[in-house]
Amino acid sequence: MRVTQPRADALARLPLALATLCLLLFALQLWAHATNASATMDEPVHLLAGHRHLYCGDYAFNPEHPPLLKELAALPLQSMSLRMPEDLPCAAGFTPKAETFRLADVFLAENGGDRILMPARLMAMSFSLLLALLVGIAGWRMFGPWPGASAMLLFAMEPVLVAHGSLVTTDMAIAATTFLAVLLMHEARAWRPLARIVSLGLAFGLMLASKHSAILILPLLALLRLLDASFWRSGPWRLRTHLLGPLLELAASLGLGLLVLWAFYGFRYAAAPGMAHAVDLVSFMQAVARPETRDSAMAALVPWLGHTGLLPESYVMGLADIVGTSVRWTRVLGMLYPEGQWFFFPIALSIKSGIALLVLLPAGIAMAWTHPGRRRALLFLLLPALGFLLVAMSSKVTAGVRHVLLVYPFFIVLAGYGATRLWQRGRAWPWLLAGLLAYQAVAVVRAAPDYIPFANALWGGPQRAYWALPFHNTDWGQTPKRIGQSLAANTTGECWVAGVDSPLTPAGLRRCHVLPERRAWESPGAAVDPIPRTIDGTIFLGVRMTSPRVGGPEYAPLLQAPHRMLADAVLVHEGRFELPGLAGVGHALRCDALVRSGQPLLAVEEGRRAVALAGDDPRAWISLGDALVTAGNVAEAARALAQAKRTLAADPETFAFVEARRHALARRVAADR
């Protein structure tokens, strides 16, 4: 059948039309998520930091992340009338991490919450939309128009990209800038050397200004450039042309990239305005480092790097924080580990990725490998992604799939090529492919607007994700709005919440009583409301409470079978519950608060109520012992200490976290005898 020219022109425009539609659908999903999700854990501090960067020139606030995303998100705030926290002047100097989070929550709450958060999220979305465009362009340039359009379709149907693409966080920024650098490197082979140097230098600078992990990616890109020059060359291999020349160009591009990075810090070394140094880097490194990393070689290298003056002080402070906290606990398939495990990220990717991507990626890799003309594209798409994934797998920080988010665009382009080739095979393949894509479309529609907890059906869906992975992959603080919406539809009865933190409490949620997390006893703060032994009403339990490091044994009765799940990240219990252990911990916390307020006799009364309800919990005995020592009753405090030791010995693994306060009480008892 002969195809007329007008019809051929129409068919040629179809990939562009599909890509445009996919970009629009992706943008709509970003908006849906942004408007329904509460401020997540890191967003307020990123937003306040970006505002201080632009308004004060203060880079000592939240140096853990470079300024690009933060400053872009804070741009709309510069034309607003804002209230700054009173105890945070522009010349405040370095602000400790815990304090930055507190001040950021105050900043967000005092300036209207969504009034400043939504414009910031819109600015952050620009990286996500840019990445979607780059994925389509890469697919088109490497494989053709239809693979490019197919890649954009898969991109728009990947819930993890929607989830993190609409937040004021750095993950999509580093993904977009890294993919931009790789695409430029792929296209720049035929360019003049100066054009290659300048384009890659700007891309390298944007990467460095997006996230510190760029330092790990740049060597991979250098290797990619050298392999490309050596294996896809015209003529015989020459040292000057295929090794020294590319190395010199890379060095020049890196130099320009460092210049771009310095520009984001105002070409100023000092992190804080008006100071030669915000911190002593050696002392700072020791202060932020955990015991496992304090004496490592990297911990000694970071201060030396700062003293060279090669990088801005704030950037080096961020590196120190990364190195110092580079060993963290993780959870994989229900098992807790004290440090990251190499198999975490492969499992996390298999859980959090759409089934369409998991099926089509191997097909795309196989088909690109069997087609000699596609192997250069395969190198550009696999080396950066797999190289970074291997580096991440070797680290001891394996908490969230977002830490390897940048591998997705590379994998999606290959999956788009695989989809196109399967379609072209004809017979049953187009029908199978259509069914697979339809299934993925249904999955992403069902996930909306709660994209963060998404997990594919192979692992039981989003309602099982909190069991398989650390809570950061399911509950990142995004649920208060959704709980408020649920309560607005049912305004009767008592309600209780736990593991639901937000600087902005929705109106419907304000009437609920707050139940404490484990850390409330480890680091006592404000007093808590009395917790009755019998709770009658609705309990909203954020899935983070299922982690023993966040919840505690007192929550065990609520972790078994909830009546329902809300937003795939909140366990909802309705009815009447006997919770003496939780009530006892509540009295222990009130006991601690009374000790701090100078009311030891009342504290002792609360402590006795605590042990009456939770006599098998060493926390109750330790809190009572602290109150007794403060009240001058050292003999009875010693008996409480002994009882705490006995209850701890009965279950040392569950209550290992109480040891620090038990030893502190033992020292007080010994000193006062």
Side-chain angles (χ1 to χ4, degrees), residues 495-542:
C495 59
W496 302 76
V497 295
V500 180
D501 295 333
S502 175
L504 305 171
T505 304
L509 194 55
R510 290 178 194 145
R511 65 183 180 88
C512 294
H513 307 283
V514 178
L515 299 172
E517 297 183 12
R518 195 188 85 174
R519 62 185 176 183
W521 185 86
E522 293 176 81
S523 303
V528 300
D529 294 335
I531 302 172
R533 176 184 180 129
T534 303
I535 291 181
D536 192 355
T538 304
I539 302 176
F540 296 93
L541 208 64

Side-chain angles (χ1 to χ4, degrees), residues 138-145 147-148 368 374 377-378 381 413-414 417:
W140 168 55
R141 293 293 297 165
M142 293 178 178
F143 302 114
R374 304 300 189 192
L378 183 64
L381 293 171
V413 172
L414 281 168
Y417 177 62

Side-chain angles (χ1 to χ4, degrees), residues 164 207 213 229 454 525 592 625:
H164 296 283
M207 287 173 58
S213 53
F454 174 82
D592 293 337

Side-chain angles (χ1 to χ4, degrees), residues 479-493:
T479 57
K481 275 188 181 180
R482 302 285 280 135
I483 298 175
Q485 293 165 5
S486 175
L487 286 168
N490 178 21
T491 58
T492 61

Side-chain angles (χ1 to χ4, degrees), residues 149-298:
S150 300
M152 289 193 70
L153 176 62
L154 291 171
F155 191 96
M157 294 194 300
E158 198 58 51
V160 71
L161 298 177
V162 179
H164 296 283
S166 52
L167 303 178
V168 185
T169 53
T170 58
D171 305 296
M172 288 298 275
I174 187 61
T177 53
T178 299
F179 197 76
L180 172 64
V182 172
L183 181 57
L184 287 172
M185 194 175 288
H186 179 271
E187 296 297 307
R189 183 172 62 165
W191 297 359
R192 293 180 180 274
L194 181 60
R196 281 197 299 267
I197 291 170
V198 173
S199 60
L200 288 178
L202 293 175
F204 290 171
L206 293 175
M207 287 173 58
L208 290 167
S210 295
K211 199 168 184 177
H212 288 96
S213 53
I215 292 177
L216 303 174
I217 304 167
L218 288 175
L220 296 171
L221 300 191
L223 176 61
L224 178 62
R225 175 72 178 91
L226 295 177
L227 291 175
D228 184 41
S230 296
F231 290 100
W232 281 271
R233 65 182 187 273
S234 57
W237 189 89
R238 291 185 175 88
L239 178 67
R240 180 177 178 180
T241 304
H242 301 108
L243 180 61
L244 297 182
L247 282 175
L248 288 174
E249 288 183 13
L250 286 168
S253 295
L254 180 59
L256 178 57
L258 288 174
L259 193 66
V260 172
L261 176 65
W262 276 92
F264 278 99
Y265 288 95
F267 294 101
R268 192 186 74 211
Y269 172 78
M275 299 182 182
H277 299 279
V279 295
D280 175 74
L281 286 172
V282 175
S283 301
F284 179 78
M285 182 74 248
Q286 293 300 305
V288 299
R290 297 182 179 180
E292 303 93 328
T293 60
R294 195 163 291 152
D295 298 323
S296 66
M298 288 299 297

Side-chain angles (χ1 to χ4, degrees), residues 533 580 584 587 605-616 620-621 624:
R533 176 184 180 129
H587 284 293
E605 292 180 13
E606 285 291 339
R608 296 194 193 284
R609 295 188 184 101
V611 298
L613 288 165
D616 57 351
W621 292 102
L624 174 59

